[in-house]
Every structure is written in C-alpha cells, then in structure tokens.
Amino acid sequence: MNKSLIIYSSTDGHTKNICNYILSIIKIKYNTKLISINNIHNESLQKYDLIIIGASIRYGKHKPEVYDFIEKYKAILNTKTTAFFSVNVVARKIEKNNINTNPYIKKFLSLTSWRPNYLEVFAGRIIYSKYKFIDKIMILIIMWVTKGPTDTSKIYEFTDWSKIRDFSNTLIK
C-alpha cells in the first residue's frame, strides 16, 4: 500500500480536524500518518508517496513554521506528489473561496517557490468562547469590519465539508 503523510499547522485545532477528515477518505488507498508541523523534525519524508500540508491563517498569515518547513524540504517535496491547503475565514465569502481569488493562497504562492500538485482553500470556523481575550477582541473587530458574525455566544462553522471530500477524492484517483 502507498504511504501518505498529512502535516498540519493549526491554531485552534480546526485544521487538524480537516486533516483527520481527509485521512478518513484517503486511507482506502494510502497508509497515512498525521503529524503536527511542530513534530516533523524526526520524520523521513522520503518514504511517503503523497505529502499533504494543511495550514491555518491567523491575523492574515500562515505560521512561519510552514514556510520554514517548505524551504527546508522543498527539494524532497518536488520529487513527491504533494498537496497544500489553507484554512481561513475569509474563504467563507464566495468571491474569496477558491485558489484564484483567495488572498492567502495568492500570498502563499508569492512567498514560496514550491508548487504543490494540488492546491485548495477551505473556509474555517470561529469559536469566540475558545479564544483568549485579546484574540477574541481582534477577531471580533476583523469580523465587524468584514461584515462577518459578531455574536460571541455562537459558533460559526463556515467549512464546506463536501468540498474537502471532493479534494480528498481527487487525491486518491
């Protein structure tokens, strides 16, 4: 059986949830390992046929570890079948929910020379009650400015799970 590696960079755990969902689909073709980008240092990438990286956005940026990892392992990544996806709340808007219109995918591509075989963007979620005070206030302000949800007593799930299913199925064809 082919081997795949799913690497996640998650701020609040939702990107990891998405990665687990992808794993549940691709496991029919791949023996898959899921690992945090923070724990990747002892992993041999050579043994994997497919490498998937999922990264969340916080305050307009992917974490520096994502770019550091890609730069460090770009030569290996370029010899493998690879996929990258970004998880961000901006993708909740129909006009910003694809790889050609999402500002964070565009920024990602401008900051790295790595070009994965598969690229996607998924809308995230907001759980105000889970955030530290300053994060809650900052996200609340961002949502107010962008005409997003501001009721801090609610959970806002923007993720289109069927889009993730379709992406996952593409990886196993």
Side-chain angles (χ1 to χ4, degrees):
M1 182 177 264
N2 294 330
K3 290 185 174 187
S4 69
L5 178 65
I6 303 176
I7 303 163
Y8 64 91
S9 171
S10 189
T11 304
D12 298 311
H14 194 56
T15 301
K16 183 179 180 185
N17 294 340
I18 291 170
C19 288
N20 275 312
Y21 182 71
I22 292 169
L23 187 152
S24 75
I25 294 170
I26 69 170
K27 70 181 181 182
I28 65 167
K29 182 176 179 180
Y30 290 98
N31 180 359
T32 304
K33 182 172 185 175
L34 175 67
I35 191 166
S36 167
I37 201 159
N38 298 319
N39 299 325
I40 197 72
H41 48 275
N42 291 327
E43 194 64 38
S44 171
L45 301 183
Q46 291 291 2
K47 65 183 177 183
Y48 295 100
D49 304 294
L50 170 65
I51 299 172
I52 303 164
I53 302 171
S56 64
I57 291 289
R58 179 57 63 92
Y59 302 132
K61 298 178 182 179
H62 291 104
K63 292 181 183 176
E65 303 89 75
V66 173
Y67 295 104
D68 294 346
F69 173 83
I70 290 167
E71 189 58 36
K72 183 175 181 180
Y73 295 104
K74 187 169 45 175
I76 296 171
L77 292 171
N78 286 334
T79 67
K80 304 290 180 179
T81 300
T82 58
F84 176 84
F85 65 89
S86 178
V87 179
N88 57 80
V89 177
V90 168
R92 77 187 187 281
K93 296 182 174 188
I94 195 152
E95 69 274 13
K96 295 185 181 182
N97 73 354
N98 70 67
I99 60 171
N100 297 312
T101 60
N102 186 268
Y104 302 118
I105 286 290
K106 289 179 175 184
K107 186 175 180 181
F108 171 81
L109 292 172
S110 75
L111 293 174
T112 180
S113 60
W114 174 56
R115 295 296 176 260
N117 302 94
Y118 302 95
L119 188 63
E120 194 53 89
V121 60
F122 304 124
R125 72 176 179 199
I126 296 174
I127 305 177
Y128 285 109
S129 64
K130 203 173 174 184
Y131 305 140
K132 295 177 185 172
F133 178 76
I134 192 71
D135 289 331
K136 183 184 292 189
I137 297 303
M138 293 300 291
I139 293 168
L140 188 60
I141 291 168
I142 292 166
M143 286 299 104
W144 182 76
V145 168
T146 62
K147 297 177 177 42
T150 56
D151 183 342
T152 60
S153 68
K154 295 184 178 177
I155 295 173
Y156 301 95
E157 174 83 39
F158 302 109
T159 309
D160 180 348
W161 292 96
S162 65
K163 183 177 182 181
I164 298 167
R165 183 193 63 233
D166 293 345
F167 173 75
S168 303
N169 285 325
T170 299
L171 298 175
I172 57 176
K173 288 184 179 176

